[in-house]
Amino acid sequence: MALNKEEMSEKVLAIAETLLNEGGMDNLKARTIAEQAGISVGSVYNLFADLDEVHRAVNMRLLDRLGVAGLTAMADLERQGVSDVEHRILAMAAAYVRFVEAHPGSWPALLAFNRRRATRPGPDSYQARLDELFDIVAGVLKAGNFELDDDRRALAARALWSSVHGIVTSGYVAKSDSRQADEIWQQIELLVGVFVKGLERGGAFAHARTKPI
Amino acid sequence: MALNKEEMSEKVLAIAETLLNEGGMDNLKARTIAEQAGISVGSVYNLFADLDEVHRAVNMRLLDRLGVAGLTAMADLERQGVSDVEHRILAMAAAYVRFVEAHPGSWPALLAFNRRRATRPGPDSYQARLDELFDIVAGVLKAGNFELDDDRRALAARALWSSVHGIVTSGYVAKSDSRQADEIWQQIELLVGVFVKGLERGGAFAHARTKPI
């Protein structure tokens, strides 16, 4: 039975995601998608204006999945009655580590795509999805009752996110994959532990400093 | 007057670095290097075994330059009599921000190269150079007299470095370049301020936690 337009779009996106995950942006080709979907190249372009549109749609799926991973991690801790801020931030970080590991090609391709192409405004944009993720972290920080107004809390959430992202992807190379994973986790644990202690001490309201750049 | 072998190697590396900076790894081609250096492709391969060797040598130059930038920033503060840890870490971070801005193509290419190819052991390796950079940060932390043994201090230095790196390159996209630069600096300032406050509180010796991944 032939797939309808929506089903075929889903099929194309699933194929595109696998291609991106296996070989990054260079691996995303309309001909390959068409062959694997059993349709013509023209049919791919009936569903999506161009390959950028395909990539954009894959990226939205990835961000949705990451959002679900974060919310699931928080829901798991809530069921377990864990409300400790450090513990909850570490669980978010762990969810991100697992997500990056599960998407070795497609996640770097999303980041590269975002650097090269202008993002689109609007509620469906990349940035709007990312803001939803930052909101989860900000929500955890809010529960900590630190001396943070909404703006500083949102900034702290973005800084924490970027920091964990940097640790996961920094390219610090240990001598084996398992030592690499240990190093990443030790850095995350130290960062989050020290950061939360600093927030408890009101560190986010440190005196403003002249930007030295 | 013809260049000797060392001078020609320098010329090739300068050309290669410009190519990498302008177009990343895909832009590094032996033919282009040869044309711009006014030599044959074969001559390029007499100087370097392959393009990976060229790229490796460019990367070492970049790391050396980054090391000099870090040491210079520290020396400037010492001349000014600034010994405050937060201030000094922020100066290191600012040096890194400037370095990344000055190398928009060649620095991402170094990071990508490092992810794709096995690093080489030995004192000249990428990792050894990076360790020297971490040592500068660890030296600043040591001056803070926090409760940190050598291992935790080195880990804290790597975590700080990775975090700042993540903030600089996270791809958080503001609506304009200047807002982007402001956002990056605000995140760095908050991160470093909170982190140093946390260290003052002994946060790096927070109880060990079971890795939740």
Side-chain angles (χ1 to χ4, degrees):
Chain A
M1 201 172 78
L3 300 178
N4 67 29
K5 191 171 170 181
E6 195 178 331
E7 289 166 336
M8 186 52 82
S9 292
E10 284 301 309
K11 189 173 179 181
V12 163
L13 291 179
I15 291 166
E17 187 183 327
T18 303
L19 291 174
L20 285 164
N21 209 38
E22 287 171 353
M25 220 182 286
D26 294 343
N27 203 34
L28 188 67
K29 301 207 188 305
R31 180 167 299 279
T32 318
I33 294 171
E35 278 168 12
Q36 293 191 13
I39 58 178
S40 68
V41 169
S43 298
V44 173
Y45 289 121
N46 281 334
L47 295 165
F48 297 93
D50 52 34
L51 278 181
D52 271 8
E53 282 302 305
V54 175
H55 198 166
R56 244 181 257 276
V58 169
N59 289 347
M60 290 303 143
R61 283 158 56 113
L62 288 173
L63 288 170
D64 286 342
R65 207 176 297 153
L66 180 56
V68 169
L71 290 171
T72 304
M74 292 303 93
D76 286 350
L77 288 185
E78 199 170 332
R79 255 197 308 279
Q80 295 166 40
V82 175
S83 60
D84 177 62
V85 171
E86 185 181 346
H87 198 144
R88 291 171 76 200
I89 298 281
L90 284 174
M92 284 292 290
Y96 185 63
V97 170
R98 283 194 302 267
F99 180 84
V100 172
E101 284 171 353
H103 302 85
S106 53
W107 185 243
L110 176 151
L111 297 168
F113 183 91
N114 192 46
R115 273 192 295 271
R116 284 189 216 174
R117 285 155 181 87
T119 52
R120 294 187 179 171
D124 268 354
S125 75
Y126 173 85
Q127 198 51 54
R129 305 277 172 120
L130 212 47
D131 283 341
E132 288 174 19
L133 290 164
F134 296 147
D135 282 347
I136 305 178
V137 181
V140 175
L141 293 179
K142 189 161 190 176
N145 287 317
F146 307 118
E147 288 177 53
L148 287 169
D149 61 25
D150 287 349
D151 282 351
R152 296 294 284 175
R153 193 184 303 116
L155 182 66
R158 294 196 297 272
L160 256 180
W161 181 276
S162 304
S163 298
V164 169
H165 168 70
I167 290 172
V168 175
T169 61
S170 69
Y172 180 87
V173 177
K175 288 182 183 66
S176 68
D177 282 354
S178 66
R179 283 191 52 181
Q180 170 86 347
D182 283 351
E183 166 72 21
I184 286 173
W185 191 251
Q186 283 174 24
Q187 284 191 30
I188 289 175
E189 217 170 37
L190 184 137
L191 175 86
V192 172
V194 173
F195 193 85
V196 169
K197 286 281 177 303
L199 285 179
E200 287 169 3
R201 203 173 157 158
F205 271 110
H207 57 101
R209 184 182 294 282
T210 310
K211 183 176 168 186
I213 49 175
Chain B
M1 199 173 78
L3 301 179
N4 66 28
K5 193 174 169 179
E6 194 178 333
E7 290 166 335
M8 186 51 82
S9 293
E10 284 301 309
K11 188 172 181 182
V12 163
L13 292 180
I15 292 166
E17 187 182 327
T18 302
L19 292 174
L20 284 164
N21 209 36
E22 288 171 351
M25 220 184 285
D26 295 344
N27 203 35
L28 188 67
K29 302 205 188 306
R31 179 167 300 279
T32 317
I33 294 171
E35 278 169 11
Q36 294 191 10
I39 57 178
S40 69
V41 170
S43 298
V44 174
Y45 289 121
N46 281 335
L47 295 165
F48 297 93
D50 52 33
L51 279 181
D52 271 8
E53 282 303 305
V54 176
H55 198 167
R56 246 182 255 277
V58 170
N59 289 347
M60 290 303 143
R61 283 157 56 114
L62 289 173
L63 287 169
D64 287 342
R65 206 174 298 153
L66 179 56
V68 168
L71 289 170
T72 304
M74 292 302 92
D76 286 348
L77 288 186
E78 200 169 333
R79 253 197 309 280
Q80 296 166 39
V82 175
S83 60
D84 177 62
V85 172
E86 185 181 346
H87 198 144
R88 292 172 74 200
I89 298 280
L90 283 175
M92 284 292 290
Y96 185 63
V97 170
R98 283 192 302 266
F99 180 85
V100 172
E101 283 171 353
H103 301 86
S106 53
W107 185 243
L110 176 150
L111 296 169
F113 183 90
N114 192 46
R115 273 192 295 273
R116 285 189 214 174
R117 285 153 180 89
T119 51
R120 294 187 180 172
D124 268 354
S125 74
Y126 172 85
Q127 197 52 54
R129 305 278 172 119
L130 211 47
D131 284 341
E132 288 174 19
L133 290 164
F134 297 147
D135 282 348
I136 305 177
V137 181
V140 175
L141 292 179
K142 188 162 191 174
N145 286 319
F146 307 118
E147 287 177 53
L148 287 169
D149 61 26
D150 287 349
D151 283 350
R152 296 293 284 174
R153 192 184 305 114
L155 181 65
R158 295 198 295 274
L160 257 180
W161 181 276
S162 305
S163 298
V164 170
H165 167 70
I167 290 172
V168 175
T169 61
S170 70
Y172 180 88
V173 178
K175 288 183 183 67
S176 69
D177 281 354
S178 65
R179 283 191 53 180
Q180 170 86 349
D182 283 349
E183 166 72 21
I184 286 174
W185 191 252
Q186 284 174 22
Q187 284 191 29
I188 288 176
E189 215 170 38
L190 184 138
L191 176 86
V192 172
V194 173
F195 193 85
V196 169
K197 285 283 177 302
L199 285 179
E200 287 169 2
R201 203 172 158 158
F205 272 111
H207 58 101
R209 186 182 292 280
T210 310
K211 183 175 167 188
I213 50 173

